[in-house]
Amino acid sequence: MAVTPPSHRDRLSPNQLAKQEQIVEAARAVLAKEGLAGCTARAIADASPLTKSAIHYYFADLDLLIDRAMAGHVNAFLDHLRAVGEQYEDHAERLWAVLEAYLDVFASNPNAAFVWFEYWVAVGRADHVQAAEAMLRSVTELLTDLLADLGIDDPRARARALQSYLLGAIVQQRVRRRPFATLREEIELLCLA
């Protein structure tokens, strides 16, 4: 399930949609490099072929632009995890490969974790959580599918617990890196016992 925050996209011409997508891609690049605080209209304009006034024209609310950019990051992350999973026929091997890939993304790109958590804090403070909730739900759906393929009891509840564990593991891995084999033992206790 792709994450698409609400917008007025259905009222734009194809040319306007293309420009809007350029802006979203520029915002994704700025978020990845500078984090949430650095994702300003000026920085996005500097990273795109459009002007700051064009940014404001296509996105009167910068929060909606950031929602779309974050959704783009999450969708790319999910596409990566699905591609990893598709390499395995065995359901158990698929689960472990996807979970290892999940954690590796954040280990190899620590800024991704910081941006994700900064975003959550910002939308929580602003009481603007709908887009973040949709993103979280899409990740949980992937985990639910992986666990359901193993015949796990109540895969949705286990997937939510697994998602919470993984989020905590991302933070802990920045402080004290542990091998995936150790994390796998903990996940087995959480989800497969």
Side-chain angles (χ1 to χ4, degrees):
M1 168 171 80
V3 181
T4 307
S7 70
H8 65 285
R9 295 169 65 172
D10 54 340
R11 295 176 290 200
L12 298 176
S13 72
N15 184 46
Q16 290 172 316
L17 284 171
K19 287 182 180 178
Q20 197 177 58
E21 285 306 312
Q22 284 180 317
I23 295 167
V24 171
E25 288 306 310
R28 284 185 63 193
V30 172
L31 279 170
K33 185 176 179 188
E34 304 296 330
L36 192 60
C39 196
T40 63
R42 169 58 46 213
I44 295 166
D46 290 345
S48 79
L50 301 170
T51 64
K52 184 179 169 187
S53 61
I55 306 298
H56 288 296
Y57 173 78
Y58 287 104
F59 291 94
D61 184 348
L62 197 59
D63 290 338
L64 293 178
L65 171 55
I66 291 171
D67 289 345
R68 293 245 331 253
M70 284 300 297
H73 281 299
V74 171
N75 289 335
F77 173 63
L78 290 170
D79 289 345
H80 169 68
L81 295 180
R82 286 186 192 99
V84 167
E86 288 171 1
Q87 298 174 34
Y88 298 87
E89 291 292 323
D90 180 78
H91 296 301
E93 287 179 15
R94 180 180 304 139
L95 172 71
W96 295 118
V98 168
L99 294 180
E100 188 168 12
Y102 182 114
L103 293 168
D104 283 348
V105 164
F106 293 102
S108 64
N109 184 5
N111 199 41
F114 298 143
V115 169
W116 181 243
F117 290 117
E118 286 173 353
Y119 174 74
W120 276 16
V121 169
V123 299
R125 284 187 174 148
D127 196 25
H128 169 75
V129 297
Q130 298 82 2
E133 173 60 30
M135 292 174 217
L136 182 60
R137 193 171 37 253
S138 65
V139 175
T140 303
E141 287 300 319
L142 173 64
L143 297 174
T144 299
D145 292 344
L146 292 167
L147 293 172
D149 287 344
L150 291 173
I152 302 293
D153 288 337
D154 200 354
R156 184 168 312 285
R158 299 271 181 134
R160 285 191 300 268
L162 179 55
Q163 175 68 348
S164 294
Y165 171 86
L166 292 169
L167 292 171
I170 291 166
V171 173
Q172 290 181 36
Q173 289 291 83
R174 293 298 305 142
V175 176
R176 180 180 50 132
R177 183 106 169 123
R178 296 182 305 154
F180 183 71
T182 302
L183 300 176
R184 180 176 170 154
E185 290 173 6
E186 293 174 357
I187 293 168
E188 285 175 342
L189 288 172
L190 180 69
C191 293
L192 305 177

